[in-house]
Amino acid sequence: MASPNGLTSSTTDSMLKNLFKFAMSGQWKEVVETYRRDPTACKARITKSGDTALHIAVNDGQEETVQALVDIISEQSKQSGTEVKEVLQIANKRGNTPLHLAASMGNVKMCTCIALLDRSLVGVRNNDNETPFFSAALHGKKEAFLRLHSICGIDEGRLYYRGKNGETILHVTISREYFGEPDRFYYKIFFLRFFLEDGRK
């Protein structure tokens, strides 16, 4: 029986099993080759928790692999005429996209290579109503937070700075004591800037 992409179900099953095996055993060159060879691989959720190979590469801190996979996804999106966001916003069962994971880990390089392809990815919300922008602050990842802010800008950032129960980036950075006093002062200024800029419109 053929799948909508023209592959037989046995071919698809084989690809999924191999992709899972490669990702879980750290055979990243093989993962990249699978993405390059089979455009359906980039959308494949290969773990019980709904992770794609890109999720696993991010979790494993594989910066070069993440860059290679993102480049392939971008190229395939251009060829197929689909939006790159469609693939990069694929979430696992907790609602986390690869960018959520990169942001919560504080990996600036991975945040940059993903978010620059479509800056609206910075505002995708997970099951806890948290954006990658908020997640970076929640986990005390200042550099990743600042990088995501520089990508999305203040107007869009104003839409992304709240998490569940209405918590803001200011609440979580101060209450969890992630930063010292100078950083707390910086975040107060940063937070107030949202409203000062908003008041000028």
Side-chain angles (χ1 to χ4, degrees):
M1 182 183 208
S3 64
N5 55 33
L7 298 173
T8 63
S9 58
S10 62
T11 304
T12 302
D13 288 345
S14 176
M15 181 272 290
L16 291 173
K17 287 176 184 175
N18 286 332
L19 192 56
F20 175 80
K21 179 183 76 174
F22 295 149
M24 299 310 285
S25 61
Q27 298 180 65
W28 297 112
K29 286 183 181 178
E30 288 79 1
V31 169
V32 170
E33 273 310 305
T34 303
Y35 264 51
R36 187 171 284 124
R37 190 172 56 249
D38 186 345
T40 65
C42 63
K43 294 183 179 181
R45 291 180 173 90
I46 60 174
T47 68
K48 289 181 180 178
S49 58
D51 292 310
T52 64
L54 180 57
H55 282 90
I56 297 169
V58 170
N59 252 341
D60 203 37
Q62 297 294 319
E63 293 179 349
E64 289 182 14
T65 299
V66 170
Q67 182 68 66
L69 296 178
V70 167
D71 288 345
I72 292 168
I73 290 168
S74 177
E75 186 57 38
Q76 289 174 348
S77 294
K78 289 174 187 172
Q79 290 173 3
S80 66
T82 59
E83 289 188 33
V84 70
K85 181 181 177 181
E86 183 182 317
V87 177
L88 293 177
Q89 70 179 0
I90 291 174
N92 60 23
K93 288 186 177 178
R94 297 188 65 186
N96 289 321
T97 65
L99 186 56
H100 278 96
L101 302 181
S104 64
M105 292 169 59
N107 191 302
V108 175
K109 188 172 181 180
M110 291 193 292
C111 284
T112 301
C113 84
I114 296 170
L116 281 179
L117 283 181
D118 189 322
R119 67 184 192 179
S120 68
L121 291 165
V122 178
V124 174
R125 294 186 180 273
N126 64 15
N127 296 350
D128 289 325
N129 201 35
E130 296 165 354
T131 64
F133 185 57
F134 183 88
S135 291
L138 179 67
H139 291 92
K141 306 302 181 183
K142 178 182 174 184
E143 296 307 318
F145 171 84
L146 293 174
R147 182 63 181 123
L148 290 175
H149 175 254
S150 73
I151 291 171
C152 70
I154 195 162
D155 288 333
E156 289 180 28
R158 191 180 294 111
L159 304 174
Y160 307 153
Y161 73 95
R162 285 190 185 272
K164 62 181 178 180
N165 304 322
E167 282 186 315
T168 67
I169 54 175
L170 183 63
H171 292 122
V172 297
T173 54
I174 292 177
S175 68
R176 295 176 188 233
E177 299 183 355
Y178 282 132
F179 307 119
E181 207 54 50
D183 283 325
R184 288 183 188 181
F185 178 73
Y186 171 81
Y187 274 91
K188 287 177 184 176
I189 299 299
F190 179 90
F191 188 72
L192 287 171
R193 188 175 161 214
F194 279 113
F195 297 99
L196 291 174
E197 291 290 327
D198 195 44
R200 292 175 188 165
K201 292 183 178 181

